[in-house]
Amino acid sequence: MSIEIRLDKRIASVQILKQFENLLEIKVDDKIYQVDLMHNDEGIFSILNKGRSFNIELVPQTNPKLYTAYTLYDNYDIEIIDAESRYLRNRSGSTQLVSENTISSPMPGKVVKIPVSVGDEVKKGETVITISAMKMESEYKSPIDGKVMIIHVTEGSTVDAHQKLIEIE
Amino acid sequence: MKKIQKILIANRGEIAIRIMRTCREMGISTVAVFSDADRTSMHVRYADEAYHIGPAASSESYLNADKIIEVAKKSNSDAIHPGYGFLSENAAFAKKCAENGIKFIGPSPEVINQMGNKIQARLTMIAAGVPVVPGTTESLTTEKDAIDTIRQIGLPVMVKAAAGGGGKGMRLITEEKDIVSMVRSARSEAKSSFGNDSVYVEKYISSPHHIEFQVLGDQHGNTVHLFERECSVQRRHQKMIEETPSPLMTPELRLEMGKCAVNAARAVNYEGAGTIEFLVDNSLNFYFLEMNTRLQVEHPITERITGIDLVKQQILIAEGHPIAFKQEDLRQSGHAIECRIYAEDSENNFMPNPGRIYNITQPLGLGVRTDGYVYEGYEIPIHYDSMISKLIVWAENREEAIERMKRALYEYKITGVKTSIKFLERIMETEDFRSGNYDTNFIEKNKAILLEQTKCEENCEDMIIIAAYIEHLDRLNIAQTSKEMYTAQNRWKKFTYQKNFERL
């Protein structure tokens, strides 16, 4: 059975061909790999491929099909696209990613200021919310010319990473 | 001479733990204080006693002088160590400590005030024969006065707030037509940030080196310096890497700057550990910039090359002991480098990245020290500084120290939050850093190399995809109890299990 996995912007299809204990033969897109794979319950993977050692850690995100993968220095967004999420994707006609007109916070923090209210007309590039985290304030700007439709948070409230803040149309 | 039995540490995070470590070695009990956001912080777990002092916002907890003194009295603490930041350079707090019979580990309130006001500090240094950046020793009064003075010094100049710090109330003026408006805006920013609108002018030194000297002074008039620290690798006016000895330094310059540093400290009868910051230009002219009347973040590199525990010296000096060594006893042995590990996204304008630490593996081995405070499962609060750890290495010489730092950064694994580790490792590889030929412009100059997108090749991407696939199958196996639907089992556990049997 093959499933699709998204790594940042790339979508690859994966399939196990053979398994003997920790030795696996796996097909990724059209390449076939023989790997020696060991992992534990905490998401730490050690993979040996033709003698090369890969150290990978998977950290689960809030949604069970989303992970952040860490290699020695880099990190990647991972999404498992199985039958269920493919169905949802097709039905909504677009990706599950938040729409471009929604401003969300890339990190946890505290809302310092919201200079706009629902119904306000905003210009592209206009600051619509200021978030403070670790003594640094970041301003988030409107991606489009439009109208503020929904404000999900209030001044002084704390926000989680990837939380929706403001929607503009 | 009163022996200190118990110290309250009016700080959090790595520096609180750093101070407690020395207290433990000296047989002194430790008292931690914590805000709502820090109940699970490591400094609370490490201390002998810990007391809650207020809400998460630092203004209502770590900056609440009265509350901290109340806890110090309740816990019978003899002394308060302020660490760095928070109340460490707050003269009113130092005064309150004294009024309540608690020893403030640091200089007197008068000295803190004198050095805290930039204009007064400049005057003191000029009187002590220490070179200062050319400029005014009085605050600018009228706009005409500003134009005349700035013409005299010559553009470009920096206008700075007398009560300043942290880049607030600071303006760079390069053109004559901007003088009036820039002075005006510096003044209004100074007013709103510090409640004091007095500003002064300094000649602007482009791409200087930032070199500081560690000093120690006791209550008996003895003052020594513990050599320099090179702190020119900075981003957003914040230091990222420090090293000692400085690659720019010559024995003659060290002698001269060291003498000035000691004179500067003597001029105010300095007590405790302090730092004299200098700007040094490429022709090795040096100028006094400011004095920090506290322990610095980067103090461990000095400890590493001199073998002296600075926190222990602070405590002994506070107890009234004379410094046990003379200037001529001090030696710089080998080379030390410190890298600051920040929870931040280096590729996204160094945006802070708080969150939950999933896994952490700290580097070990010869010549490596880490001063940190986060642990697995710890949620880094959004309210405080983004520095989570300091990595300090020592080696016989600079080349070896750089290689060792690279090795230690390679070993350092933190998942769950983004960190500056990769960025730091790239710095270790740049030509400018390796040759020691760098100034405060280093990060800006090397930006292209430091931020280069070198994601791993496709082969490695495929390995991540394989890992994600296996992880996903594992989850399905747990969710669907129907046995062995997929054959990918957790081999790590089984491997350990089998190995245990083989040993029997």
Side-chain angles (χ1 to χ4, degrees):
Chain A
M1 187 198 86
S2 104
I3 65 163
E4 288 185 329
I5 291 175
R6 179 178 64 79
L7 177 142
D8 288 346
K9 284 183 181 118
R10 174 182 166 199
I11 293 181
S13 97
V14 206
Q15 189 179 6
I16 292 195
L17 302 176
K18 274 184 225 156
Q19 178 180 22
F20 176 70
E21 309 252 280
N22 45 302
L23 303 177
L24 300 169
E25 193 170 295
I26 286 196
K27 198 172 156 197
V28 181
D29 287 337
D30 44 13
K31 272 195 191 161
I32 293 172
Y33 293 95
Q34 273 93 24
V35 295
D36 175 344
L37 180 147
M38 296 286 267
H39 71 305
N40 70 5
D41 288 346
E42 278 74 53
I44 298 180
F45 284 76
S46 168
I47 302 180
L48 301 179
N49 172 230
K50 290 185 185 158
R52 253 191 92 185
S53 167
F54 295 88
N55 190 53
I56 296 162
E57 280 187 44
L58 292 178
V59 177
Q61 298 302 311
T62 41
N63 177 322
K65 282 169 195 144
L66 296 178
Y67 296 90
T68 306
Y70 291 83
T71 61
L72 289 177
Y73 311 110
D74 288 304
N75 48 69
Y76 300 85
D77 287 332
I78 298 285
E79 185 188 357
I80 311 285
I81 308 167
D82 58 6
E84 184 195 3
S85 41
R86 199 177 299 133
Y87 171 73
L88 288 173
R89 255 174 196 248
N90 289 342
R91 211 173 56 156
S92 65
S94 67
T95 65
Q96 276 183 309
L97 298 169
V98 238
S99 95
E100 284 175 5
N101 301 343
T102 303
I103 295 164
S104 60
S105 151
M107 54 173 185
K110 193 173 174 181
V111 181
V112 181
K113 204 169 170 200
I114 306 175
V116 295
S117 334
V118 174
D120 283 3
E121 300 281 339
V122 288
K123 288 258 173 304
K124 184 178 170 176
E126 192 178 326
T127 300
V128 290
I129 188 164
T130 307
I131 305 276
S132 141
M134 300 178 144
K135 305 196 296 191
M136 198 178 136
E137 292 188 355
S138 317
E139 294 181 341
Y140 295 88
K141 297 175 176 17
S142 173
I144 47 162
D145 288 341
K147 197 171 174 185
V148 179
M149 299 307 287
I150 311 173
I151 300 180
H152 294 278
V153 290
T154 54
E155 285 182 8
S157 60
T158 52
V159 294
D160 291 330
H162 310 301
Q163 184 179 334
K164 280 187 196 173
L165 304 174
I166 292 181
E167 293 181 34
I168 294 163
E169 235 177 70
Chain B
M1 216 169 290
K2 192 178 163 244
K3 166 106 179 68
I4 292 173
Q5 306 287 350
K6 193 189 264 191
I7 295 179
L8 180 147
I9 294 95
N11 216 300
R12 65 177 301 280
E14 71 86 16
I15 193 60
I17 297 169
R18 159 72 193 90
I19 295 161
M20 288 177 200
R21 285 195 166 123
T22 290
C23 291
R24 198 161 283 264
E25 287 179 20
M26 295 176 77
I28 297 169
S29 316
T30 53
V31 179
V33 291
F34 63 91
S35 72
D36 282 348
D38 270 344
R39 174 62 189 84
T40 57
S41 181
M42 195 64 201
H43 75 280
V44 174
R45 297 173 57 195
Y46 192 93
D48 295 316
E49 295 171 45
Y51 300 93
H52 177 249
I53 50 166
S58 4
S59 57
E60 295 173 72
S61 48
Y62 298 106
L63 291 171
N64 185 342
D66 291 329
K67 183 73 193 173
I68 289 171
I69 285 174
E70 184 193 315
V71 171
K73 286 165 86 173
K74 188 171 80 181
S75 60
N76 278 320
S77 303
D78 311 304
I80 292 182
H81 195 306
Y84 52 70
F86 296 127
L87 293 167
S88 62
E89 292 177 284
N90 185 316
F93 178 66
K95 194 149 168 266
K96 265 186 196 155
C97 287
E99 286 162 6
N100 284 277
I102 297 160
K103 177 70 191 164
F104 174 83
I105 300 180
S108 67
E110 293 75 29
V111 173
I112 297 176
N113 258 339
Q114 199 172 351
M115 290 298 132
N117 183 309
K118 299 291 148 73
I119 294 177
Q120 242 195 320
R122 280 169 69 83
L123 284 169
T124 311
M125 292 307 140
I126 292 166
V130 178
V132 298
V133 184
T136 53
T137 46
E138 284 160 30
S139 74
L140 295 176
T141 43
T142 62
E143 272 157 16
K144 184 176 177 310
D145 176 30
I147 294 170
D148 290 349
T149 315
I150 290 170
R151 269 202 193 127
Q152 227 169 45
I153 297 168
L155 289 168
V157 299
M158 288 295 271
V159 175
K160 293 183 177 180
K168 289 264 165 61
M170 210 157 95
R171 291 288 183 280
L172 169 65
I173 305 179
T174 51
E175 285 181 60
E176 196 158 322
K177 65 176 171 53
D178 298 332
I179 294 178
V180 171
S181 65
M182 288 292 206
V183 169
R184 213 177 274 161
S185 74
R187 194 171 257 164
S188 80
E189 195 172 294
K191 178 87 185 164
S192 69
S193 302
F194 313 109
N196 176 347
D197 72 350
S198 94
V199 295
Y200 66 101
V201 188
E202 269 181 14
K203 175 96 190 126
Y204 175 68
I205 297 168
S206 66
S207 315
H209 293 258
H210 183 127
I211 297 178
E212 59 188 27
F213 269 71
Q214 176 70 53
V215 294
L216 282 177
D218 64 20
Q219 298 170 6
H220 311 277
N222 303 307
T223 312
V224 295
H225 75 82
L226 286 82
F227 312 106
E228 78 277 9
R229 290 186 290 257
E230 166 73 61
C231 309
S232 297
V233 180
Q234 306 186 353
R235 57 119 181 74
R236 280 204 269 108
H237 297 288
Q238 239 182 346
K239 296 166 191 165
M240 243 189 150
I241 296 178
E242 303 91 356
E243 64 176 318
T244 180
S246 163
L248 187 75
M249 196 55 80
T250 63
E252 298 75 36
L253 182 63
R254 180 176 295 120
L255 205 67
E256 208 184 329
M257 288 179 78
K259 213 158 64 190
C260 280
V262 168
N263 286 344
R266 278 212 182 110
V268 292
N269 292 319
Y270 194 80
E271 180 198 328
T275 296
I276 318 284
E277 297 194 342
F278 294 101
L279 293 181
V280 184
D281 67 20
N282 282 325
S283 339
L284 302 188
N285 297 307
F286 65 92
Y287 309 99
F288 169 83
L289 182 66
E290 60 179 20
M291 179 169 192
N292 294 312
T293 55
R294 55 169 161 85
L295 193 65
Q296 297 274 95
V297 175
E298 59 273 22
H299 74 276
I301 56 172
T302 298
E303 297 185 321
R304 208 61 187 79
I305 58 142
T306 58
I308 289 166
D309 178 340
L310 287 171
V311 174
K312 188 171 181 177
Q313 292 305 318
Q314 286 185 299
I315 294 170
L316 291 174
I317 289 168
E319 284 178 342
H321 294 274
I323 298 170
F325 41 83
K326 299 263 172 300
Q327 188 67 56
E328 53 271 25
D329 302 332
L330 295 168
R331 293 278 174 280
Q332 288 173 293
S333 149
H335 196 96
I337 305 177
E338 174 186 274
C339 278
R340 299 191 188 187
I341 316 293
Y342 291 100
E344 71 181 14
D345 188 351
S346 310
E347 279 151 27
N348 192 0
N349 199 20
F350 307 104
M351 175 124 51
N353 196 278
R356 191 186 181 84
I357 303 286
Y358 198 75
N359 264 309
I360 177 164
T361 311
Q362 300 203 328
L364 297 166
L366 181 63
V368 176
R369 162 178 173 182
T370 54
D371 276 23
Y373 78 103
V374 301
Y375 54 89
E376 274 169 29
Y378 176 68
E379 180 105 29
I380 304 171
I382 59 171
H383 308 278
Y384 313 110
D385 198 84
S386 57
M387 193 181 78
I388 49 178
S389 153
K390 305 184 301 204
L391 174 58
I392 302 107
V393 303
W394 177 90
E396 284 286 338
N397 55 54
R398 190 169 187 269
E399 292 68 42
E400 200 180 31
I402 292 174
E403 291 309 320
R404 185 162 292 161
M405 180 57 87
K406 270 175 64 182
R407 185 268 291 175
L409 288 166
Y410 169 83
E411 274 177 33
Y412 215 146
K413 304 263 153 40
I414 300 176
T415 56
V417 297
K418 289 179 181 158
T419 69
S420 55
I421 293 175
K422 180 169 74 171
F423 190 79
L424 290 164
E425 188 167 359
R426 286 203 177 138
I427 292 178
M428 292 297 135
E429 282 167 359
T430 55
E431 185 46 41
D432 283 353
F433 187 81
R434 299 186 75 88
S435 65
N437 180 21
Y438 66 88
D439 55 39
T440 43
N441 228 349
F442 170 79
I443 288 183
E444 198 51 46
K445 186 182 161 207
N446 287 281
K447 215 162 195 170
I449 309 171
L450 296 173
L451 294 177
E452 203 184 334
Q453 293 285 341
T454 48
K455 291 266 181 177
C456 66
E457 68 272 39
E458 194 182 298
N459 193 350
C460 151
E461 277 190 15
D462 286 353
M463 294 304 135
I464 299 166
I465 289 166
I466 290 172
Y469 182 46
I470 299 299
E471 176 78 17
H472 174 63
L473 294 185
D474 261 12
R475 281 212 187 191
L476 290 179
N477 275 336
I478 294 166
Q480 304 173 351
T481 41
S482 62
K483 207 176 159 287
E484 303 282 312
M485 220 186 135
Y486 303 97
T487 46
Q489 299 166 20
N490 188 332
R491 291 286 310 157
W492 197 301
K493 259 192 198 161
K494 203 165 167 193
F495 181 74
T496 320
Y497 185 71
Q498 283 172 345
K499 282 282 167 278
N500 284 342
F501 272 105
E502 281 163 18
R503 223 173 284 144
L504 285 175

